Amino acid sequence: MTEDEAWQAGRGIWKFNADRALAQDEVQIVNTEGLVLAVATITGISKHGDRYALEGELLRGDARVGKPTTTPHRSRNSVAYF
């Protein structure tokens, strides 16, 4: 999966707390093994019924891509806030 594909798949459409998401500067798209697939700045959100999608700028080639995330979470929920 490319960074662009990971960003498109991971940015939404999800149920999440819009205010908490907007309080963050960046998002990491992380796989189930904890490896970073993509990193993006958060510029906003878009509403899709009762769900949301993150809007942002993909940071292609970010040094964190392909490495374990420094902020893992154990939840099965696909969205976490750090």
Side-chain angles (χ1 to χ4, degrees):
M1 178 176 276
T2 68
E3 290 177 67
D4 288 278
E5 291 168 336
W7 169 237
Q8 289 305 315
R11 61 184 280 275
I13 297 172
W14 307 102
K15 283 192 174 189
F16 61 79
N17 183 309
D19 291 332
R20 288 179 69 189
L22 288 171
Q24 306 304 309
D25 295 323
E26 291 184 332
V27 60
Q28 292 181 7
I29 307 301
V30 179
N31 69 11
T32 57
E33 288 80 38
L35 293 178
V36 177
L37 302 177
V39 179
T41 59
I42 297 173
T43 59
I45 59 169
S46 56
K47 188 167 174 60
H48 302 267
D50 65 343
R51 298 171 187 262
Y52 300 95
L54 293 171
E55 302 297 331
E57 297 295 323
L58 181 61
L59 302 176
R60 286 179 189 86
D62 188 280
R64 294 169 283 187
V65 173
K67 296 180 181 166
T69 183
T70 58
T71 53
H73 67 98
R74 307 278 184 242
S75 172
R76 289 179 48 162
N77 184 353
S78 55
V79 177
Y81 305 96
F82 304 103

